[in-house]
Amino acid sequence: VVDSRVATDQHTNMGTTQSKKADASKPKPMIKEGQRVPNVDFVTRVRYSLKGENPFEWKTLTSDDYFKGKRVVLFALPGAFTPTCSSTHLPGYEKNYDKIKALGVDEIYCLSVNDAFVMRRWGLNQGLQEDKTLYSNGFKKVKLIPDGAAAFTRGMGMSCTWTSQRGFGERSWRYSAVINDGVVEKLFVEMGAVVQNSEEDPLEVSDADTMMRYLTEKKA
């Protein structure tokens, strides 16, 4: 049962109404550089206490909470606990977190079509250092974004399925992006476009090394 606070949590500084939120029910064309990211709600969980077995409560954040007024790196992947995501994609960004931030980035986010419970447990399993500051994003370096209903992923035009290949339902295609004040500055998409039910799951252009090369060249 979702806490009633989810339904009443409002962000008055966002200047948007629910009717203006991205329609999560319809697939969109893949986003392009220069376009604004979709305005959606993310239902997540935040720590409200340092005591108790489950000191977390539901909280709804918006795209503006993550992206407004900041230059951030976002990388998205098919699933928590999956092999390439766990062995290479997330660890690469976690290892190079400070180097990437030093290249003019305010924050680094990892997004997956998984719920908040799974994303937190995956982060702990990966050895990410937990941030126990009350109402924080949960981890001290790379921050994990649960896109459990795939609203952001659909709005980005990155929704895909691997039904016969892996038995996955709807997931995010693997990509990375630099997002500057809510606008896509740079986009790296594996295989150049979303591939449905792909036999391959490449990690060639959305990795941390490729991102650092771009940011270094941009800063020079």
Side-chain angles (χ1 to χ4, degrees):
V1 177
V2 176
D3 194 301
S4 61
R5 280 169 288 195
V6 171
T8 59
D9 183 40
Q10 299 293 325
H11 299 266
T12 56
N13 64 325
M14 299 307 154
T16 59
T17 63
Q18 189 64 33
S19 62
K20 295 182 181 179
K21 294 288 172 63
D23 184 352
S25 65
K26 299 178 180 179
K28 303 291 191 299
M30 190 176 76
I31 199 165
K32 299 178 181 178
E33 293 173 1
Q35 294 183 330
R36 184 166 295 279
V37 300
N39 182 26
V40 304
D41 287 337
F42 298 91
V43 180
T44 187
R45 289 175 67 77
V46 295
R47 180 183 291 275
Y48 70 88
S49 174
L50 296 176
K51 300 179 181 180
E53 293 183 2
N54 185 27
F56 298 91
E57 64 184 13
W58 293 104
K59 184 174 180 64
T60 300
L61 299 175
T62 69
S63 297
D64 278 354
D65 289 316
Y66 287 111
F67 304 116
K68 188 175 182 179
K70 293 176 279 189
R71 185 178 186 232
V72 307
V73 166
L74 170 73
F75 65 101
L77 39 79
F81 292 100
T82 56
T84 303
C85 304
S86 299
S87 66
T88 310
H89 209 175
L90 174 57
Y93 280 95
E94 179 73 6
K95 177 182 177 181
N96 292 290
Y97 179 85
D98 293 326
K99 292 180 181 178
I100 293 173
K101 288 197 68 179
L103 293 171
V105 169
D106 295 307
E107 194 52 271
I108 303 172
Y109 300 128
C110 171
L111 180 142
S112 182
V113 181
N114 292 110
D115 62 63
F117 296 101
V118 171
M119 291 296 276
R120 177 175 182 272
R121 183 53 55 187
W122 183 46
L124 296 175
N125 183 267
Q126 284 282 290
L128 304 192
Q129 188 174 2
E130 190 174 12
D131 183 357
K132 293 187 177 182
T133 305
L134 300 187
Y135 303 102
S136 74
N137 281 357
F139 294 100
K140 292 190 174 181
K141 291 189 175 182
V142 174
K143 311 303 187 294
L144 307 184
I145 300 180
D147 187 25
F152 187 84
T153 296
R154 293 176 187 172
M156 292 286 282
M158 296 293 182
S159 173
C160 62
T161 58
W162 280 279
T163 49
S164 64
Q165 289 294 331
R166 295 172 178 81
F168 287 175
E170 185 175 18
R171 298 296 178 100
S172 174
W173 187 247
R174 197 183 297 278
Y175 68 93
S176 67
V178 179
I179 300 173
N180 197 339
D181 194 22
V183 175
V184 178
E185 172 188 320
K186 185 65 176 178
L187 184 63
F188 297 98
V189 181
E190 296 297 338
M191 299 175 68
V194 176
V195 179
Q196 297 297 329
N197 202 31
S198 174
E199 182 177 353
E200 300 178 4
D201 176 22
L203 176 57
E204 297 177 353
V205 300
S206 63
D207 57 293
D209 288 341
T210 300
M211 179 59 70
M212 286 192 292
R213 283 195 295 270
Y214 166 75
L215 292 171
T216 299
E217 292 170 0
K218 189 73 174 178
K219 192 174 182 180

